[in-house]
């Protein structure tokens, strides 16, 4: 938990543009945040989210859930509780621990090292530099800043959205 407090302190000094987060009093593993989308296909949106860090973070990914009902390929609709993906070109249904809850944001494409069954795919050099950095780093080096910047890019960069493969989609519709 001390590591999360240190990461939060560093975000106070420098956070991704338009992204603001706060720790829930008494629980360093639960953060609340907001993204102000100023450019891109989702502008002008204000999106509220929550980040829940598992006990074994950074070895396991945080769970990011949005309270806004917004159509986005990486965002599970609020009216469903499913996730399917592909491993070695075979479609599978996620187990309960892999399944994203309603409003859950998929980090599988940007941070494949957190997901054992997902085959890593090369990212397009267009759009995002943060995702490429995340793929080349070790698990312990993934910062909350990188995760938040990835989420921001998912809503502000049209090239980022165009580069997403169908198997990365939490919402293939």
């Amino acid at each position: 938990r001390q590591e999360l407090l240190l990461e939060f302190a560093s975000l106070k000094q420098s956070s991704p543009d338009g992204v603001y987060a706060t720790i829930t009093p008494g629980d360093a593993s639960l953060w609340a945040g907001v993204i102000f989308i100023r450019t891109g296909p989702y502008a002008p949106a204000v999106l509220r989210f929550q980040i829940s860090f598992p006990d074994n973070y950074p070895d396991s990914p945080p769970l990011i859930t949005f309270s806004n009902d917004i159509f986005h390929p990486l965002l599970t609709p609020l009216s469903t509780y499913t996730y399917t993906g592909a491993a070695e070109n075979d479609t599978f249904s996620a187990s309960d621990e892999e399944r994203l809850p309603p409003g859950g944001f998929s980090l599988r494409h940007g941070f494949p090292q957190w997901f054992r069954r997902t085959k890593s795919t090369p990212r397009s050099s267009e759009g995002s530099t943060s995702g490429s950095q995340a793929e080349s780093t070790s698990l312990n080096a993934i910062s909350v800043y990188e995760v938040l910047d990835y989420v921001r890019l998912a809503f502000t960069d049209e090239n980022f959205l165009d580069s997403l493969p169908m198997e990365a989609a939490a919402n293939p519709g």
Side-chain angles (χ1 to χ4, degrees):
R1 297 297 163 228
Q2 194 69 11
E3 185 176 323
L4 286 174
L5 293 172
L6 289 172
E7 287 215 50
F8 179 74
S10 72
L11 282 175
K12 284 181 157 181
Q13 303 301 317
S14 174
S15 65
D17 187 38
V19 180
Y20 303 92
T22 186
I23 292 180
T24 302
D27 187 359
S29 67
L30 187 61
W31 297 16
V34 65
I35 301 175
F36 293 94
I37 309 296
R38 297 179 181 119
T39 62
Y42 290 90
V46 177
L47 305 175
R48 289 171 180 71
F49 63 93
Q50 185 176 40
I51 305 175
S52 177
F53 295 92
D55 290 337
N56 61 345
Y57 175 83
D59 294 327
S60 293
L63 174 62
I64 300 173
T65 53
F66 282 80
S67 58
N68 303 75
D69 195 10
I70 187 165
F71 183 76
H72 189 282
L74 294 178
L75 194 60
T76 304
L78 292 177
S79 59
T80 188
Y81 191 82
T82 60
Y83 178 85
T84 57
E88 306 294 328
N89 295 326
D90 293 328
T91 302
F92 67 88
S93 294
S95 65
D96 282 342
E97 61 217 24
E98 294 171 320
R99 191 171 293 145
L100 291 172
F105 185 87
S106 176
L107 295 171
R108 289 177 183 277
H109 184 252
F111 305 94
Q113 59 273 48
W114 268 330
F115 303 93
R116 292 179 189 94
R117 286 180 21 176
T118 302
K119 183 179 173 183
S120 177
T121 55
R123 291 183 59 115
S124 166
S125 61
E126 292 181 309
S128 167
T129 58
S130 174
S132 318
Q133 283 178 321
E135 285 189 356
S136 66
T137 60
S138 70
L139 275 176
N140 293 334
I142 298 172
S143 68
V144 176
Y145 180 94
E146 288 176 289
V147 172
L148 292 176
D149 193 46
Y150 178 79
V151 173
R152 180 190 61 83
L153 283 172
F155 289 98
T156 60
D157 189 341
E158 195 169 331
N159 291 325
F160 175 92
L161 290 171
D162 290 340
S163 73
L164 289 174
M166 185 60 117
E167 60 268 8
N171 182 3

